[in-house]
Amino acid sequence: MEYFIQYGMFLAKAVTIVIAIVIVVGALAASGNRHKKAGKKGMIKVTPLNDHIEDMKDVLRHSILQKDELKQVHKSERKQAKLEQKEKSKLHKEMHKQGKESAGDTASDQVTRKKRVFVLNFIGDVAAEAVSSLREEITAILSLAEPSDEVLLRLESPGGMVHAYGLASSQLLRIKNQNIPLTICVDKVAASGGYMMACLADKLIVAPFSIIGSIGVLVQLPNFHRALKKHNVDYEIISAGEFKRTLTQFGEITQKGRDKVQEDVDTMHEIFKKWIKDHRPSVDIDKISTGETWVGMQAKERHMVDEIKTSDECIVAACESADVFEVEYEIHRTIQDKLGAVFQATTEKLFSNWLNKSSTNNFQ
């Protein structure tokens, strides 16, 4: 009897804790909704990457260099800054002599200011949900960028839905239509719809072991018709139009329906191939459109990419001669969204740790 009493007390405590958590979460969510500005979906966040890299460099210098060495480094940097300022002043004077100064400070600034590089990030899933942020980021950049500037997109995607990646690709076309150079860097994977986006780059740069390709189209779904028939379960579809429904999960698959889907897949594959060929005319489209994937070094041999390098190398190099800004569109999330994201991240981390421990197919 004592055992059951203790168990009942434990159960009551557990229920009380759960109810308390639900009440607190509900109160936080309600508070967040009250303070949420109507009509504002998110905001643009801009991070100067030159400053970020300089900050890391300074931390390392102060930790490693001796005082005399550090003093000499700072002296050299000040000397270089004076030289750059002198060159800039000299250019202003030459423009003034030529009468261009009368056009206003804007014209002078266009000639003398540093090139700007805008860095974007796109991590794609099956539905290419990141396009909702990408479209806002591109809209913001196009309000300021000029043809002398550059957009650098760090792309990672295994592909997904045709229409979703078609929209993502169309967003990148907006940059090209404004005659702004577009560089795309792939560190891990750009396959299928990911490569559909990547091939739009004026310069496509990939890491040596990134996964590139998968120029193909796939339709797959399970069919439970025979299982339903075995248990005498009817499944009815009422439609208008001969091919309104072809393959379904529960309906009987007919050869006519199968042939129609195959025809649609072949048509989409041809459109995909034409898209790649139009934007990367150097490729042998018949050899690379088999649905295969290659690592970056192999992809370069097939003219699918332009250069082998990581995005980090590209950004560090750009910071030496340009002002580099990372542009992100942050969508406002509710308390529920944030808690869900934390739960999802925790679950994914636990699964990843389990997978790493249980996997025997590792490079060693």
Side-chain angles (χ1 to χ4, degrees):
M1 179 61 71
E2 184 179 352
Y3 169 78
F4 289 107
I5 293 174
Q6 291 178 352
Y7 178 75
M9 291 178 64
F10 168 77
L11 188 61
K13 289 179 181 179
V15 171
T16 302
I17 292 172
V18 171
I19 293 174
I21 292 174
V22 171
I23 291 173
V24 171
V25 171
L28 290 173
S31 176
N33 289 333
R34 283 197 299 270
H35 292 88
K36 191 175 179 182
K37 292 184 178 179
K40 191 172 182 181
K41 296 187 296 183
M43 61 181 293
I44 288 290
K45 176 185 175 184
V46 180
T47 305
L49 294 184
N50 302 71
D51 296 344
H52 175 66
I53 291 175
E54 283 300 320
D55 289 344
M56 291 194 297
K57 188 188 297 184
D58 285 341
V59 170
L60 198 61
R61 285 173 176 173
H62 283 84
S63 300
I64 295 177
L65 299 181
Q66 299 295 326
K67 287 185 178 180
D68 292 342
E69 294 176 305
L70 192 60
K71 186 177 180 181
Q72 186 61 40
V73 167
H74 288 158
K75 184 178 178 180
S76 299
E77 289 179 344
R78 287 194 295 269
K79 183 178 180 180
Q80 182 63 32
K82 287 181 180 179
L83 288 174
E84 291 178 358
Q85 183 61 38
K86 187 176 179 180
E87 288 295 326
K88 189 174 181 179
S89 299
K90 182 179 178 181
L91 183 57
H92 271 285
K93 289 178 181 179
E94 290 177 355
M95 289 181 61
H96 182 70
K97 290 179 181 179
Q98 295 172 6
K100 292 184 178 180
E101 193 71 19
S102 60
D105 293 337
T106 302
S108 174
D109 181 66
Q110 288 177 349
V111 176
T112 59
R113 76 165 175 83
K114 278 187 176 182
K115 169 184 175 181
R116 296 188 184 112
V117 177
F118 301 95
V119 178
L120 302 177
N121 299 287
F122 184 93
I123 300 179
D125 53 14
V126 172
E129 291 183 357
V131 73
S132 59
S133 294
L134 180 67
R135 69 201 310 173
E136 302 286 357
E137 294 160 357
I138 291 175
T139 297
I141 289 171
L142 293 183
S143 69
L144 181 65
E146 301 167 0
S148 58
D149 297 322
E150 179 184 356
V151 174
L152 188 154
L153 173 68
R154 289 189 286 197
L155 172 65
E156 180 183 335
S157 174
M161 299 177 182
V162 173
H163 63 281
Y165 279 89
L167 177 58
S169 300
S170 298
Q171 295 299 326
L172 298 184
L173 279 177
R174 295 171 59 198
I175 299 172
K176 296 175 69 69
N177 291 339
Q178 292 291 328
N179 297 316
I180 298 171
L182 174 62
T183 298
I184 295 180
C185 297
V186 180
D187 290 325
K188 293 182 179 179
V189 57
S192 193
Y195 189 70
M196 177 191 289
M197 296 175 65
C199 73
L200 289 168
D202 296 301
K203 184 184 292 184
L204 178 52
I205 301 172
V206 304
F209 289 93
S210 58
I211 303 299
I212 306 296
S214 188
I215 303 171
V217 182
L218 173 68
V219 173
Q220 60 181 354
L221 78 165
N223 182 265
F224 301 97
H225 174 71
R226 285 185 292 178
L228 295 178
K229 187 175 181 180
K230 181 179 179 181
H231 293 87
N232 297 319
V233 178
D234 292 329
Y235 178 74
E236 296 289 342
I237 298 179
I238 301 174
S239 63
E242 184 179 3
F243 295 112
K244 181 63 177 177
R245 285 291 181 269
T246 49
L247 302 185
T248 66
Q249 289 182 318
F250 301 106
E252 182 179 4
I253 295 179
T254 64
Q255 188 58 45
K256 190 174 184 179
R258 185 182 288 109
D259 292 343
K260 175 58 180 173
V261 172
Q262 184 64 58
E263 179 185 338
D264 293 341
V265 168
D266 291 340
T267 299
M268 187 57 66
H269 191 211
E270 290 300 319
I271 295 172
F272 192 0
K273 289 164 60 176
K274 185 178 186 305
W275 176 273
I276 301 296
K277 186 63 178 178
D278 287 346
H279 295 287
R280 287 201 68 88
S282 60
V283 301
D284 186 336
I285 193 62
D286 291 328
K287 287 186 178 180
I288 67 168
S289 59
T290 58
E292 297 173 81
T293 58
W294 297 273
V295 298
M297 295 176 289
Q298 295 174 311
K300 189 174 187 304
E301 295 172 358
R302 292 163 173 77
H303 308 289
M304 299 173 70
V305 304
D306 300 307
E307 195 173 341
I308 302 297
K309 193 185 294 184
T310 65
S311 64
D312 305 286
E313 293 175 276
C314 295
I315 290 173
V316 171
C319 286
E320 295 177 358
S321 59
D323 291 327
V324 184
F325 304 93
E326 184 176 33
V327 180
E328 302 170 276
Y329 183 74
E330 295 185 338
I331 298 175
H332 288 299
R333 297 188 299 171
T334 64
I335 295 295
Q336 296 95 319
D337 293 335
K338 293 178 181 178
L339 289 174
V342 170
F343 178 76
Q344 180 180 354
T346 303
T347 304
E348 290 177 352
K349 186 175 181 179
L350 291 172
F351 178 74
S352 178
N353 290 339
W354 172 81
L355 191 63
N356 291 334
K357 290 179 181 179
S358 61
S359 176
T360 57
N361 187 24
N362 293 323
F363 290 105
Q364 296 179 347

